[in-house]
Amino acid sequence: MGRLRRMLARRRPKLVSLRTTFAISFAAVTAAVAILVGIVSYGSAARLVRVDQQSVFSQVVQDVRDEVRQHRMEPDDFSSSRPGHDLVRPARTDVQVLGARGEIVDHGDPSLPVTSHDRSMALARTAGEAVEHKDVQVGDDLYRIATVSLGDGRGAVQVAQEFSDTEDLLRTLQQRTLILMAAVVVAAGLFGWWLARRITRRLVVLTNAAEDVARTRRLGIEVPVAGLDEVGRLGRAFDRMLGRLAQSEEDQRRLVQDAGHELRTPLTSLRTNISLLRRIDELPPDTRDDLVADLTQEARELTDLVNELVDLAAGQSDTEPPQRVDLADIAEDVVGLASRRTGRQILLRVSGDTTTDGRPGMLQRAMSNLVENAAKFDRAGQAPIEVHIMGPARPGTVRVEVLDRGPGIAEGDLIRIFDRFYRAADARSLPGSGLGLSIVREVAMAHGGAPFAYRREGGGAVIGFTVGGG
């Protein structure tokens, strides 16, 4: 088994870093461009040089033909020993003179080969006739040779141009071009490596941070990434994501701790009452009835607490898709259900456009908590509970208010009633867990709004929330 694992490990492909991939890609693109430019440039230069050399040679041959046609010239006129011959001999060419029978009367430097076609030009009657030879090997060099007749069988003059030196020049140019292309590719690879290192440096920081989070499970790691480009945006988004995850983890931890704390009291009471059940036959009937009533009440409170904990957790991670909803319709359902459950008169007032984007289940849960909270704290109240749905204060913003005539809220408790498990001193004797208004806050914030509470003029309280505030 161990051998098989080692074999699989050896066959596992090695990961190539983004830096290496970027550098290789940069060098490859640069190499392709350099090779293409080099080939095109060399081809154009070589073609221009060859055409230029051919044009010069053709012009020299044409000048010689024009000269012998216009003047009656003898082989001695082209002799290298004749004074002033440079005026007759074309410059930068090798000239060889043939006699009337095609023999060489003045050797060129180097001596040029003489063919039967060249001898026929020496015997030609018409001046200026020419025959041209390409790629003639003379020693180690290649020449172009043109033989021009002097006319009336007086001989001919051979004009030669070496073009192997041109090819040597082009070959040198080719080598230098290749060396330059290689240098460009190497420089591009080094520059690509440097550039990739500079670009991926921040990505490496992000990768190390992600690996650190995965290894240590610590979400409070700061991501030191700056910049206004996509990498900078990714770093800031990653940092915000870690912050949100850390906050969510902290919220869950506090929720578990608070829930454990709140569950201890009813569980302790249940345990005490259950222990009394072992002696229930010894207890008086009134005491037995009180014990059963206490157990029933404590079980109900535990059930309510668990349900509210589940609702709160669901509110933090609700997967219900948002949709266009009318809060007035939701409020109408909530008011009808609460009226039947509590037997209280509940008035609903709607004004303005109350539609917004939201999750119907979460919004219904928040409104139900507000109405039930008002009914709980105003048990003996004669005045109806009022529910106001108003919109929009701003485009897309809807305000939900629940008004009661209960004992009201102390000034010091107004800023704390939305905390989890918080219960004012006056409310600790009433049933409940202190999670209802906390759920309202979670729902409001999940919908871009906020909860609010203040004392109602004439007694009572106004508690509510806004949604759609951005």
Side-chain angles (χ1 to χ4, degrees), residues 66-74 127 150 154:
D66 293 341
E67 184 72 17
V68 299
R69 285 172 180 169
Q70 294 173 7
H71 305 91
R72 181 182 177 82
M73 303 188 73
E74 300 294 334
L150 299 179
R154 293 190 300 275

Side-chain angles (χ1 to χ4, degrees), residues 308-342:
E308 288 180 335
L309 284 172
V310 171
D311 288 343
L312 185 61
Q316 291 178 340
S317 59
D318 205 314
T319 57
E320 183 184 13
Q323 54 186 282
R324 197 68 180 171
V325 295
D326 190 342
L327 266 65
D329 294 339
I330 297 177
E332 188 175 349
D333 295 337
V334 169
V335 167
L337 180 62
S339 297
R340 291 190 296 272
R341 182 183 300 170
T342 63

Side-chain angles (χ1 to χ4, degrees), residues 158-174:
Q158 290 183 296
V159 180
Q161 180 190 50
E162 181 186 355
F163 66 89
S164 58
D165 58 346
T166 302
E167 295 301 321
D168 292 339
L169 175 64
L170 293 177
R171 200 157 30 248
T172 302
L173 177 62
Q174 185 182 50

Side-chain angles (χ1 to χ4, degrees), residues 382-432:
Q382 299 299 317
I385 297 172
E386 299 179 21
V387 178
H388 296 175
I389 311 295
M390 297 171 289
R394 293 190 303 272
T397 303
V398 182
R399 183 181 178 91
V400 178
E401 294 181 350
V402 176
L403 300 81
D404 63 63
R405 288 297 182 184
I409 304 173
E411 195 69 34
D413 293 329
L414 284 174
I415 60 175
R416 300 192 58 190
I417 61 172
F418 294 101
D419 293 343
R420 292 173 183 169
F421 301 106
Y422 179 77
R423 303 180 72 188
D426 297 339
R428 289 171 187 168
S429 60
L430 297 175

Side-chain angles (χ1 to χ4, degrees), residues 75-76 96-108 111-116 118-123 147 150 153-158:
D76 289 342
Q96 180 170 276
V97 184
L98 303 180
R101 296 187 301 275
E103 75 281 10
I104 300 175
V105 297
D106 190 357
H107 289 274
S111 181
L112 303 176
V114 180
T115 66
S116 59
D118 300 325
R119 294 188 182 93
S120 66
M121 287 295 103
L123 298 172
T147 303
L150 299 179
R154 293 190 300 275
V157 60
Q158 290 183 296

Side-chain angles (χ1 to χ4, degrees), residues 209-418:
E211 291 175 346
D212 196 15
V213 170
R215 183 177 63 256
T216 64
R217 296 187 178 181
R218 291 187 297 108
L219 299 175
I221 297 176
E222 183 179 356
V223 182
V225 176
L228 300 177
D229 56 3
E230 287 79 0
V231 179
R233 290 171 53 196
L234 176 63
R236 287 188 290 274
F238 187 72
D239 192 45
R240 288 194 298 270
M241 180 188 69
L242 289 180
R244 295 281 181 87
L245 289 175
Q247 182 62 45
S248 177
E249 185 181 51
E250 176 63 20
D251 291 343
Q252 290 178 3
R253 186 185 63 80
R254 287 194 298 107
L255 177 61
V256 171
Q257 290 178 348
D258 294 343
H261 175 74
E262 292 297 322
L263 285 170
R264 285 194 190 99
T265 301
L267 286 175
T268 301
S269 179
L270 268 176
R271 193 161 47 244
T272 301
N273 288 330
I274 289 173
S275 65
L276 291 175
L277 287 175
R278 296 176 180 176
R279 297 185 295 112
I280 193 169
D281 293 336
E282 304 174 8
L283 299 177
D286 293 342
T287 305
R288 276 185 275 178
D289 292 341
D290 292 340
L291 178 61
V292 173
D294 287 345
L295 286 172
T296 303
Q297 179 62 28
E298 288 162 357
R300 185 182 299 110
E301 289 184 5
L302 270 177
T303 301
D304 293 340
L305 177 59
V306 171
N307 288 336
E308 288 180 335
L309 284 172
V310 171
D311 288 343
L312 185 61
Q316 291 178 340
S317 59
D318 205 314
T319 57
E320 183 184 13
Q323 54 186 282
R324 197 68 180 171
V325 295
D326 190 342
L327 266 65
D329 294 339
I330 297 177
E332 188 175 349
D333 295 337
V334 169
V335 167
L337 180 62
S339 297
R340 291 190 296 272
R341 182 183 300 170
T342 63
R344 294 289 303 275
Q345 182 183 8
I346 303 175
L347 302 179
L348 173 62
R349 297 178 181 176
V350 179
S351 62
D353 182 10
T354 58
T355 58
T356 186
D357 293 324
R359 295 179 171 88
M362 294 177 66
L363 293 170
Q364 185 174 18
R365 187 184 310 137
M367 289 189 195
S368 297
N369 287 353
L370 289 176
V371 174
E372 290 175 2
N373 185 77
K376 179 175 67 175
F377 284 94
D378 188 18
R379 286 176 175 267
Q382 299 299 317
I385 297 172
E386 299 179 21
V387 178
H388 296 175
I389 311 295
M390 297 171 289
R394 293 190 303 272
T397 303
V398 182
R399 183 181 178 91
V400 178
E401 294 181 350
V402 176
L403 300 81
D404 63 63
R405 288 297 182 184
I409 304 173
E411 195 69 34
D413 293 329
L414 284 174
I415 60 175
R416 300 192 58 190
I417 61 172
F418 294 101

